[in-house]
Amino acid sequence: MFNQFNTLRSKMTLICILGISVPFIICMAVYTVFMNKTLKDKVGYELLSNLVTQSALIDDSFSRVQEGTAKMMMDETLYRIFSKEEFEFTDMEYYMEDKLVSQALNRYYSNQPDIYASYIITPDYLFGHMQVYHPLDVLDNSELYKIAAENDGKEMWIPTFRYQDMFPEAKCYSDSLNYMPFFAYTRKIQFISQSDYSLVPKSGQLPIVLLYFQSNYFDSFFKASEDFSSNIWILADEDVVYSNTGDHDFPYMNEALALTRGEQGSVMSSDKKNLLTYVSSEITGWKIISMKSVEDMMSDTYRLTGMMAVAFVFLLIAVT
């Protein structure tokens, strides 16, 4: 009889435990799934809002560069310099004219202190602020100059390149710059007289404005912001323009290439480990992507779930 009673009691205890545990496990599973989706939606919305804001600030900064170019094209001093039919200078004349061009470049791009170097380039002369030194023949033979020269006059933003890769034959001139990453802005220009609205030069190869920016230009938009606990990449197709971690190997390039220019939103990575939030620059078309670890997002939820599970086990022990 006693053994039968113990057996019955054990069965009742087991049924009781199962009756409490099964609903608890189901509730915890539902809670975890719900919190997972809620947190992804909430974090995705917050990251997207921040990305949209920062993208607008970057576009505004780039717009000021383009506005500076438009204003510079109406500069009377530059009109005089580039209106000469015989565009040849003695060494002293070149020195004086280059000084005037450098002053104009500094004046029209003064609202962009992060411009590393600025030039106006003609087939025979290089004018401007030469913080990055190029012999003219080295620049003429570079892929960068070819891209600028073949452009039809529209503004172009050229993704990140390293000095030694773009100008391999110029290493001896600037050893300290060999591994420095830059991105560039370029445009073919003509100068307009404000008196009769005539354009110079009238024919031939048009002057090219070329500006260099170091890739850490974007640090002020992301690294200093407490809103960005996620990793940030700026991509131009398959080229990594910037990463706030310093890692220029974006792990989800296929997903990034599938994102449509001009769109914005959030998607899960193919391995379900990261939330990718993205927006496109309206000026450059470059994609700004934040990557937030799902594990990091869910860490508080997992911690709370674990604490509740431990408390539940202690409760069962106490009851039994």
Side-chain angles (χ1 to χ4, degrees), residues 102-118:
S102 296
Q103 290 172 351
L105 288 166
N106 289 332
R107 183 165 63 253
Y108 289 108
Y109 300 115
S110 61
N111 59 0
Q112 290 291 326
D114 294 313
I115 291 176
Y116 190 77
S118 53

Side-chain angles (χ1 to χ4, degrees), residues 138-158:
V138 169
L139 182 60
D140 285 346
N141 293 328
S142 69
E143 187 66 26
L144 180 65
Y145 182 78
K146 291 176 184 175
I147 292 172
E150 292 172 1
N151 184 28
D152 60 2
K154 297 178 181 177
E155 277 102 352
M156 288 188 66
W157 292 89
I158 300 172

Side-chain angles (χ1 to χ4, degrees), residues 43-53 55 222 228 230-235 250 252 255-269 274-281 285-292:
V43 172
Y45 175 79
E46 290 176 352
L47 288 174
L48 181 58
S49 296
N50 290 330
L51 274 188
V52 169
T53 299
S55 178
F222 297 111
F228 284 93
S230 58
N231 297 333
I232 302 293
W233 276 269
I234 298 178
L235 306 179
F250 185 63
Y252 301 107
E255 284 95 324
L257 291 174
L259 302 177
T260 305
R261 175 171 177 165
E263 285 189 347
Q264 59 186 42
S266 298
V267 295
M268 286 299 299
S269 61
N274 292 282
L275 178 68
L276 306 178
T277 306
Y278 60 95
V279 64
S280 295
S281 164
W286 298 345
K287 295 165 186 170
I288 306 174
I289 301 177
S290 74
M291 186 176 78
K292 183 73 172 178

Side-chain angles (χ1 to χ4, degrees), residues 54-66:
Q54 299 307 106
S55 178
L57 291 174
I58 292 171
D59 281 349
D60 180 66
S61 178
F62 286 171
S63 291
R64 291 198 299 273
V65 171
Q66 296 179 176

Side-chain angles (χ1 to χ4, degrees), residues 5-45:
F5 177 77
N6 279 342
T7 302
L8 180 61
R9 181 183 177 187
S10 297
K11 288 181 179 179
M12 292 298 294
T13 301
L14 179 60
I15 292 171
C16 205
I17 290 174
L18 289 175
I20 296 173
S21 299
V22 172
F24 176 80
I25 293 171
I26 293 174
C27 287
M28 290 302 298
V30 171
Y31 170 78
T32 302
V33 171
F34 173 77
M35 288 304 297
N36 193 332
K37 184 179 185 309
T38 301
L39 276 175
K40 286 178 185 176
D41 290 344
K42 181 176 183 295
V43 172
Y45 175 79

Side-chain angles (χ1 to χ4, degrees), residues 178-191:
N178 281 341
Y179 297 96
M180 191 176 291
F182 296 101
F183 67 95
Y185 162 82
T186 185
R187 180 184 176 181
K188 285 182 180 177
I189 55 175
Q190 287 178 290
F191 298 97

Side-chain angles (χ1 to χ4, degrees), residues 11 42 44 52 74 99 104 122 126 137 152 161 167 197 201 214 236 245 250 258 267 281 292:
K11 288 181 179 179
K42 181 176 183 295
V52 169
M74 301 182 70
K99 185 176 180 180
T122 70
L126 179 64
D137 60 334
D152 60 2
F161 58 88
F167 309 104
Y197 301 105
Q214 287 181 266
T245 65
F250 185 63
V267 295
S281 164
K292 183 73 172 178

